[in-house]
Amino acid sequence: MVLDAAVREQVVRCVEDCVPSLPAAAAAGSSGAAGSGDSDWRLDGRAASTLLVLLERQLQTGDGGEVYVGEAHDVLWLKLQAGHAQTRLLALQLADKLFRELRPFRQRLCARFQMFVELTVGHSGTRPLPPPVEVAEALRERALEVLERWRDAYGRAYPQVITAVRYLRDVLGLRLPELRARAAARA
């Protein structure tokens, strides 16, 4: 299948707009410095929506949509490996949006789910989360929320999500946010 270079470029640009690269050196020297403000931790909703519409359109037309979803996944995967926690946090937020909306994205991400969990939760002693520490803590908290939501919504279709949550909770003793219990308590 021949990819439309313009569409491919638009997919890559949308991911870049959602998850700008931050230099790892900036993370090492910062603890609450400029660029790590709470508002910088939020995904650009307009850019994410543009990407989602583009990918959905390509999937609907059958014009290599899954290939473009794969391209978005691959660019996002590089962002998840960044040496700056803020880049990973934004990448996690975009991955969450795409995971909830696009089955081909779910399938691709679940193929490397163990590594995804390591990159976002940082539970492995050999692969800790990058600095700054404050953002890394926010990344871990958000990742646990996302994993819990995905378990509830997609666990039957993607058992690796259930396995990951059980491992984090039962083996590593990480505390999940228990979103269902909180929602029931509020109701």
Side-chain angles (χ1 to χ4, degrees):
M1 164 161 289
V2 178
L3 294 180
D4 182 338
V7 175
R8 182 189 176 281
E9 180 59 33
Q10 194 174 5
V11 167
V12 171
R13 193 172 347 108
C14 284
V15 174
E16 287 291 337
D17 288 347
C18 291
V19 187
S21 296
L22 297 167
S30 74
S31 64
S36 64
D38 195 33
S39 64
D40 294 335
W41 301 355
R42 286 191 216 102
L43 186 64
D44 179 343
R46 193 168 24 184
S49 294
T50 300
L51 176 63
L52 189 57
V53 166
L54 174 66
L55 294 173
E56 286 174 336
R57 187 175 346 131
Q58 294 302 315
L59 285 167
Q60 289 170 356
T61 63
D63 257 353
E66 292 198 24
V67 176
Y68 294 115
V69 170
E71 187 70 30
H73 169 272
D74 293 348
V75 175
L76 193 55
W77 190 257
L78 292 173
K79 300 290 188 174
L80 285 166
Q81 298 176 59
H84 196 294
Q86 185 173 335
T87 301
R88 288 192 191 187
L89 179 58
L90 292 170
L92 170 66
Q93 291 173 24
L94 182 56
D96 180 32
K97 185 169 188 67
L98 297 177
F99 192 94
R100 287 182 283 128
E101 300 292 335
L102 301 170
R103 183 177 182 197
F105 186 84
R106 284 193 293 275
Q107 292 168 330
R108 283 186 172 265
L109 192 63
C110 284
R112 309 191 219 185
F113 206 70
Q114 180 180 347
M115 180 65 75
F116 172 78
V117 173
E118 285 181 25
L119 292 169
T120 57
V121 176
H123 63 280
S124 170
T126 60
R127 194 183 304 265
L129 294 176
V133 174
E134 176 184 331
V135 183
E137 290 170 0
L139 170 61
R140 179 177 291 114
E141 287 174 22
R142 180 65 189 264
L144 292 172
E145 288 174 12
V146 164
L147 291 170
E148 187 176 31
R149 237 182 294 122
W150 291 356
R151 178 203 59 199
D152 294 345
Y154 306 101
R156 286 188 177 170
Y158 302 96
Q160 54 272 63
V161 178
I162 292 174
T163 302
V165 169
R166 283 185 183 152
Y167 176 76
L168 293 170
R169 184 190 61 216
D170 299 343
V171 175
L172 297 181
L174 293 180
R175 193 153 181 220
L176 287 119
E178 299 179 22
L179 299 172
R180 258 189 294 178
R182 279 196 225 161
R186 277 185 279 194

